[in-house]
Amino acid sequence: MQNFNYHTHTYRCGHADLDMTDEEYVLEYIKMGFKKIAFTDHCPQSIDKRKDVRMEYSEKEEYKKSIKSLKEKYSDKIEIEFGYEVEYLPGEEEFINELKNESEKIILGQHFIYDSNKNLKILGHEKYTDEDLKVYANYIEKALELNIPNIIAHPDFFMLSRDEFGHAETEITKKICESSEKYNVPLELNLRNIYKVKYKNKIAPRKGNFTWDKIAYPCKEFWNIAKDYNIKVVYGMDVHNRGQILLWNELIENAKEIIGEDTINKLNFIEDV
Ligand SMILES: [Zn+2]
Ligand SMILES: [Zn+2]
């Protein structure tokens, strides 16, 4: 069983549990037997004007200081890395490199692209055209070419802006997998949406009959294609609150239900990144 998780947020982004301290996350991880974690909170990015999505640039230093001091304090119990979840945008390479240079882990959590007027087109907010999907896959490829991320977070996130998995979705999946293979950067099988849908951000599952029909990611069809590539895979909890850490084992079981044990068994889950 994977005993690391490189995808952890903090209250600074504004949509993780506002009452959880960084240290409380570390303590939960230790209790659950984790050996290595990374804090990868949503990086500051001034072009993104949404409220409660990412930390401010002015919070960066305090965030770094907090995580580095926990790294020292708990070094005999757990290995802690410092980093960010970043998004690639053409023209922002210099800033992303600044983040990269101060980090031990960078995950690429691409949630948007530029539209033709250079406005952000955000996944989950509006539908993506086939053309948008291609741009999305190109951004991921570009980030890899620039050697930015250590992990590609939720590579099937694009399904939030698509209705069903057809030809265009198959093509973008292949493109993302080819990039992952070419640059030898693992894909993350992200467990957060399972938690949101099944547990509604609590520790007990929702009541009543329950199916996975409406879950956008992890996407069964995506991973069924991914399994045939020579790529590495890691689970990522995308922690925004305590419950996700406590439900780690259950969430992995749920992922198996959604994707199918056959596919899961063929994926190359690795020991470390
Ligand atoms: Zn988040
Ligand atoms: Zn995240």
Side-chain angles (χ1 to χ4, degrees):
M1 176 68 90
Q2 186 179 308
N3 60 7
F4 60 88
N5 176 45
Y6 299 143
H7 197 157
T8 311
H9 295 281
T10 78
Y11 66 89
R12 295 170 190 80
C13 69
H15 62 275
D17 187 338
L18 298 178
D19 296 321
M20 277 290 275
T21 64
D22 303 338
E23 185 161 21
E24 285 172 313
Y25 282 120
V26 172
L27 293 171
E28 295 294 348
Y29 276 120
I30 293 171
K31 258 193 261 167
M32 287 292 291
F34 281 79
K35 295 286 174 250
K36 192 171 172 186
I37 59 164
F39 280 89
T40 44
D41 206 0
H42 299 285
C43 71
Q45 201 158 21
S46 55
I47 187 133
D48 187 1
K49 306 290 183 217
R50 289 173 295 166
K51 221 176 122 33
D52 294 336
V53 168
R54 47 187 71 253
M55 72 177 73
E56 298 290 333
Y57 189 81
S58 60
E59 290 175 288
K60 216 162 72 70
E61 284 310 305
E62 181 276 327
Y63 166 56
K64 200 196 305 176
K65 222 174 123 198
S66 168
I67 305 309
K68 300 258 168 166
S69 87
L70 292 170
K71 182 187 175 86
E72 289 285 305
K73 183 169 176 184
Y74 292 100
S75 61
D76 59 334
K77 296 196 170 67
I78 192 166
E79 191 179 338
I80 301 175
E81 291 184 328
F82 171 79
Y84 296 96
E85 176 168 355
V86 307
E87 324 219 12
Y88 174 74
L89 281 175
E92 305 234 325
E93 292 83 356
E94 204 176 316
F95 175 61
I96 298 170
N97 262 323
E98 175 190 330
L99 300 175
K100 169 104 184 158
N101 289 337
E102 60 186 61
S103 298
E104 294 156 306
K105 269 297 179 285
I106 291 282
I107 62 173
L108 181 74
Q110 195 70 36
H111 300 89
F112 48 56
I113 55 169
Y114 278 136
D115 69 13
S116 49
N117 299 316
K118 228 186 163 191
N119 292 316
L120 291 184
K121 190 162 189 181
I122 298 166
L123 283 165
H125 288 212
E126 45 191 322
K127 290 286 166 210
Y128 266 34
T129 64
D130 291 2
E131 205 44 49
D132 292 334
L133 283 189
K134 286 183 194 156
V135 174
Y136 184 76
N138 285 339
Y139 279 21
I140 292 177
E141 164 118 56
K142 190 72 193 163
L144 294 172
E145 191 188 311
L146 294 170
N147 193 26
I148 293 167
N150 302 101
I151 295 171
I152 304 163
H154 46 59
D156 41 358
F157 197 79
F158 64 84
M159 284 306 291
L160 277 178
S161 281
R162 302 287 289 190
D163 295 322
E164 53 192 35
F165 202 97
H167 178 71
E169 291 76 9
T170 301
E171 290 308 304
I172 186 192
T173 297
K174 288 182 182 166
K175 168 98 173 130
I176 292 172
C177 291
E178 281 161 19
S179 301
S180 166
E181 186 176 273
K182 177 173 171 195
Y183 293 98
N184 196 25
V185 174
L187 299 182
E188 175 206 57
L189 202 157
N190 187 289
L191 302 171
R192 180 174 181 221
N193 211 24
I194 299 178
Y195 178 71
K196 286 214 283 196
V197 172
K198 178 158 185 184
Y199 299 90
K200 290 185 133 182
N201 286 331
K202 298 199 178 63
I203 295 169
R206 63 199 291 168
K207 296 196 176 71
N209 286 337
F210 179 75
T211 63
W212 293 113
D213 290 356
K214 294 270 179 289
I215 201 156
Y217 71 94
C219 171
K220 184 186 171 103
E221 292 86 355
F222 178 98
W223 292 103
N224 186 43
I225 294 171
K227 75 173 187 328
D228 296 327
Y229 284 80
N230 184 19
I231 53 176
K232 297 171 178 166
V233 182
V234 294
Y235 284 111
M237 269 196 276
D238 203 348
V239 165
H240 288 72
N241 72 37
R242 168 184 279 126
Q244 291 173 271
I245 304 175
L246 299 175
L247 289 163
W248 170 238
N249 296 303
E250 286 82 351
L251 294 170
I252 288 184
E253 284 308 309
N254 294 151
K256 274 187 203 155
E257 265 172 60
I258 294 169
I259 291 162
E261 202 144 359
D262 276 4
T263 297
I264 289 277
N265 289 341
K266 286 184 186 130
L267 292 170
N268 177 24
F269 285 94
I270 53 172
E271 295 300 313
D272 197 2
V273 181

